Amino acid sequence: MSGDDVSRILEQIEKDRIKFIRLQFTDIIGIAKNVAIPAKQAEKALTDGISFDGSSIQGFARIEESDMVLKPDLSTYQILPWRPEAMRAARFICDIYTPRGKPFEGDPRYILRKQVEEAAKMGYIFNTGPELEFFLFHQQNGKPSLELQDTGGYFDLAPTDLAEDVRRDIIIALTDMGFDIEASHHEVAESQHEIDFKYGDVLTTADNVITFKFATKTIALQKGLHASFMAKPIFGINGSGMHTNCSLSTLDGENAFYDPDTPKQLSDVAMKFIAGLLKHVKGITRIANPTVNSYKRLVPGYEAPVYIGWSTSNRTALIRVPAPRGRSTRVELRSPDPTCNPYLTFAAILAAGLDGIKNDLEPPKSADKNIFHMSGDQRKEEGIDTLPGSLFEANQYLMNDPLICNALGPHVAENLNSIAEIEWDSFRTAVTDWEIKRYLATY
């Protein structure tokens, strides 16, 4: 960054009467972290960076190599609109460096930057448009509960949807932070909601996912509610997904997925991208669906995609190509959920798609029938496989996918493996309420 850029931002901070600055980043599992500094330290942060202890952050560094440096990305400066005027605060999203000035290989943002650079070498810009679903629950004694906030359903209005005011305040806050909100509505399940923002280049979109979750939780908390992005908080109703729309554009702005002269108006690049995604999707699942609970959502019967296939018209397929063409041509990967780390998830998706392009992969024939209504034999006959059924299984697929592991780098891949093993072992050895109800009286 130039001295002029720093001076311009410092002037803006003073003009905005900012008292505190939050230097934000994410850990390896996608949880937002921050270091808060008084505004008078802004010049130091913007020029030299701010040091912090990386050994305290999951998946970052061992104690003997724990020193890390946060360097703000000037383009991410935003006022936090919910803060009171007297304590006005702003934030920067930061990249993480070692004390020697090298990008930290465990920084999820750096992992995504590397894939963006790889796409640029091939002449492409990767755009994404995620659709995040979430639940609003009441708080009880200051802690999140499973008490539903409303009993609305898909596209319901007040008075059934009691969360309209909460969604409105969330949208106002996000708009003040520069989001281009396209739509919001009540989702299928009670107390479940969706707010959609405009697609953009993949790094900006990943930043926006973290900001979206942070802002949504903050505004909900101010209303005495808990916003949960957990994949499947309640048995028997729909879980929350993060359908991710993806497209490649050329460096001059043309949509690389569109070809008006083919039967489906999809280019060779689009078909190869789809083929790469399908080839690597089992390994991607570990990243896009990173918790034990994620796999309670990925089951038949609740609109969640579990069958590996693609289609231009079938919403039961894992990869759907929505109807719009021209500049809006895109593919939608429907399996990710909002507990994922967006930087790592988008990096893995891009790496897989680029692999399909580099190696001229061809996708299988499209699955244009309702896959949910097929029998197991019919799916087998059509060559339709299923996603991994557990975190343990998905992690094995990731560890056996050298392309995705290479995209993540050894530091991140090894830490994700360790996290999955510890998480699965903790789940495997826990005694659940289901087991007590099923076995205690019988045996």
Side-chain angles (χ1 to χ4, degrees):
M1 69 184 77
S2 70
D4 289 343
D5 290 334
V6 172
S7 297
R8 176 178 54 82
I9 289 293
L10 289 174
E11 289 174 5
Q12 189 66 49
I13 290 171
E14 185 175 359
K15 179 181 177 182
D16 292 336
R17 303 186 304 280
I18 300 300
K19 302 296 191 298
F20 291 94
I21 295 173
R22 292 191 180 196
L23 304 179
Q24 292 185 347
F25 61 101
T26 61
D27 65 14
I28 197 171
I29 62 173
I31 303 299
K33 306 288 184 180
N34 82 106
V35 173
I37 61 172
K40 65 181 180 180
Q41 295 294 324
E43 184 173 4
K44 178 180 185 300
L46 297 178
T47 53
D48 300 328
I50 296 293
S51 298
F52 74 103
D53 179 6
S55 67
S56 301
I57 307 299
Q58 185 168 20
F60 267 26
R62 296 183 294 270
I63 290 177
E64 63 269 21
E65 50 188 31
S66 61
D67 290 339
M68 298 288 162
V69 179
L70 294 173
K71 293 192 175 182
D73 181 338
L74 299 190
S75 68
T76 65
Y77 172 77
Q78 288 291 347
I79 298 171
L80 301 180
W82 53 81
R83 297 292 298 168
E85 184 73 22
M87 302 293 287
R88 209 167 196 199
R91 75 91 202 267
F92 289 97
I93 294 175
C94 298
D95 295 303
I96 303 172
Y97 286 78
T98 68
R100 296 184 178 182
K102 294 183 178 180
F104 172 49
E105 62 181 7
D107 178 9
R109 209 165 184 256
Y110 172 62
I111 301 299
L112 180 54
R113 282 188 186 278
K114 289 195 298 181
Q115 289 306 309
V116 169
E117 291 170 1
E118 184 65 23
K121 291 177 185 175
M122 297 172 63
Y124 299 118
I125 297 169
F126 186 44
N127 299 302
T128 55
E131 303 167 2
L132 284 84
E133 297 169 339
F134 60 94
F135 281 85
L136 288 174
F137 295 118
H138 284 289
Q139 299 251 13
Q140 293 180 355
N141 299 320
K143 294 182 179 180
S145 75
L146 289 178
E147 182 184 347
L148 299 172
Q149 196 264 347
D150 67 71
T151 57
Y154 205 43
F155 292 122
D156 273 350
L157 298 172
T160 304
D161 179 7
L162 300 177
E164 280 190 349
D165 289 348
V166 184
R167 287 207 309 268
R168 178 204 62 204
D169 290 348
I170 293 170
I171 289 169
I172 290 172
L174 292 172
T175 301
D176 287 345
M177 297 183 75
F179 278 66
D180 188 350
I181 301 296
E182 295 189 323
S184 75
H185 60 86
H186 200 290
E187 261 296 338
V188 174
E190 296 177 354
S191 290
Q192 189 184 34
H193 307 274
E194 179 176 314
I195 299 174
D196 299 331
F197 53 87
K198 188 176 181 180
Y199 76 92
D201 72 273
V202 66
L203 185 62
T204 299
T205 306
D207 288 341
N208 283 344
V209 169
I210 298 297
T211 301
F212 178 94
K213 292 164 71 173
F214 168 57
T216 299
K217 284 180 171 290
T218 300
I219 300 300
L221 189 61
Q222 291 179 345
K223 304 290 185 180
L225 300 171
H226 173 66
S228 175
F229 291 89
M230 184 177 175
K232 186 80 168 184
I234 300 176
F235 172 74
I237 64 176
N238 285 25
S240 292
M242 192 184 82
H243 299 170
T244 300
N245 295 276
C246 309
S247 65
L248 290 176
S249 61
T250 60
L251 299 182
D252 59 2
E254 295 297 318
N255 189 310
F257 282 0
Y258 177 58
D259 184 346
D261 298 324
T262 65
K264 296 181 186 293
Q265 296 186 312
L266 295 175
S267 69
D268 284 343
V269 170
M271 299 300 284
K272 292 171 185 177
F273 191 96
I274 290 170
L277 266 182
L278 291 173
K279 176 183 176 182
H280 296 284
V281 74
K282 290 186 177 182
I284 291 172
T285 301
R286 161 64 184 93
I287 305 164
N289 309 91
T291 70
V292 167
N293 179 257
S294 295
Y295 299 85
K296 307 295 177 72
R297 166 181 168 260
L298 293 178
V299 295
Y302 298 98
E303 299 187 6
V306 293
Y307 302 116
I308 301 174
W310 75 281
S311 176
T312 56
S313 57
N314 188 352
R315 287 182 178 270
T316 65
L318 175 66
I319 296 174
R320 186 175 76 94
V321 182
R325 292 294 184 266
R327 294 182 64 85
S328 297
T329 307
R330 61 193 187 275
V331 302
E332 178 188 46
L333 180 63
R334 297 170 61 81
S335 55
D337 71 57
T339 62
C340 74
N341 183 324
Y343 301 104
L344 300 184
T345 299
F346 295 162
I349 290 172
L350 180 54
L354 294 181
D355 181 54
I357 296 169
K358 292 175 184 176
N359 293 293
D360 294 323
L361 301 182
E362 293 185 9
K365 66 177 183 178
S366 61
D368 297 326
K369 299 176 183 178
N370 190 321
I371 306 173
F372 291 163
H373 292 168
M374 291 182 181
S375 67
D377 288 340
Q378 287 174 318
R379 289 194 297 272
K380 185 176 181 180
E381 185 177 328
E382 295 285 335
I384 298 173
D385 201 354
T386 60
L387 291 176
S390 69
L391 178 64
F392 176 81
E393 185 182 354
N395 190 61
Q396 289 183 313
Y397 278 111
L398 174 61
M399 291 299 103
N400 289 316
D401 190 326
L403 179 103
I404 303 300
C405 285
N406 287 338
L408 298 173
H411 179 97
V412 170
E414 290 167 10
N415 274 279
L416 287 179
N417 181 52
S418 177
I419 289 168
E421 289 179 344
I422 293 170
E423 191 83 349
W424 183 256
D425 194 56
S426 176
F427 171 70
R428 182 184 62 83
T429 57
V431 179
T432 65
D433 288 343
W434 182 91
E435 293 166 279
I436 298 299
K437 293 175 181 177
R438 179 71 178 84
Y439 300 124
L440 185 61
T442 303
Y443 296 100

